Amino acid sequence: MNYWLMKSEPTTFSIDHLIHLPNSTDHWEGVRNYQARNFMRDNMRIGDQAFFYHSNCEVPGIVGIMDIVQESYPDFTAFDPLSNYYDPKSTPENPRWFMVSVHALQKFDKTLSLSELKTYPQLHEMVLLRPGNRLSVTPVSKKEWQFILALNTGSQS
DNA sequence: GCCAACGTTGGC
DNA sequence: GCCAACGTTGGC
């Protein structure tokens, strides 16, 4: 099983949005970066788990946990001229962008902030924390995953 | 809202 | 295939 971190701007799509959908499940739309796409398309498997990360907001950080419930399929928002994610170069015959389906497992009581994550030497190698990293989908090592989960023991909802 | 870092585009 | 110009991301 692999572990991931997936970013979303909460004003666009937050963990609360996800939790309140039927089955707390939705497609993860709008990834328009090749490296992030490749992680989703080539490496994500059903049962993998991912941190839900809020970016570009007051307190950026990890806000909960998801699991992958459907492996990659074409991101249909790319086909919709009315979508913010429309890309005329992606067609149903030859899709360029892909999405997975995610399911919320848990929301943390409190955001595990980026600034706190940066204080732990155990996390210094995290892809998220690498200088200049902007990838919206990044791998998380098993050790990093377990360390972060342990930080939240006792503060889960 | 600023801006550094990075990715993409497109002329040549 | 180089690389300058431009657009985007996302912390601050």
Side-chain angles (χ1 to χ4, degrees):
Chain A
M1 167 154 82
N2 292 314
Y3 301 97
W4 307 94
L5 181 143
M6 302 171 81
K7 296 182 186 175
S8 179
E9 300 191 12
T11 53
T12 304
F13 186 72
S14 73
I15 191 163
D16 291 310
H17 289 128
L18 180 59
I19 283 171
H20 290 108
L21 289 169
N23 302 318
S24 298
T25 297
D26 201 4
H27 50 270
W28 195 266
E29 67 187 39
V31 171
R32 295 293 179 270
N33 169 283
Y34 290 104
Q35 214 179 332
R37 176 203 70 181
N38 292 347
F39 282 135
M40 286 200 302
R41 187 189 60 185
D42 304 334
N43 300 108
M44 273 192 190
R45 295 293 171 259
I46 288 179
D48 284 2
Q49 295 191 332
F51 290 125
F52 196 126
Y53 180 95
H54 282 176
S55 67
N56 209 2
C57 57
E58 194 172 355
V59 183
I62 296 170
V63 293
I65 300 173
M66 307 182 280
D67 59 347
I68 307 303
V69 293
Q70 189 172 353
E71 293 179 13
S72 78
Y73 49 98
D75 182 337
F76 50 81
T77 64
F79 310 145
D80 177 5
L82 298 180
S83 169
N84 288 333
Y85 302 122
Y86 178 55
D87 180 356
K89 292 173 186 165
S90 188
T91 63
E93 296 73 30
N94 188 18
R96 173 176 298 203
W97 304 115
F98 290 79
M99 53 175 43
V100 296
S101 291
V102 298
H103 161 250
L105 285 172
Q106 176 185 97
K107 178 189 173 184
F108 294 163
D109 281 346
K110 182 170 164 288
T111 298
L112 182 49
S113 70
L114 177 63
S115 59
E116 180 177 346
L117 292 172
K118 285 177 174 173
T119 66
Y120 299 112
Q122 294 90 334
L123 301 178
H124 279 176
E125 300 299 313
M126 263 191 100
V127 178
L128 172 75
L129 302 183
R130 287 185 191 161
N133 170 67
R134 297 183 318 184
L135 276 180
S136 64
V137 178
T138 55
V140 174
S141 76
K142 187 169 186 178
K143 279 188 177 173
E144 291 160 352
W145 180 271
Q146 291 175 340
F147 180 80
I148 292 168
L149 277 195
L151 290 176
N152 267 277
T153 300
S155 66
Q156 297 159 4
S157 56

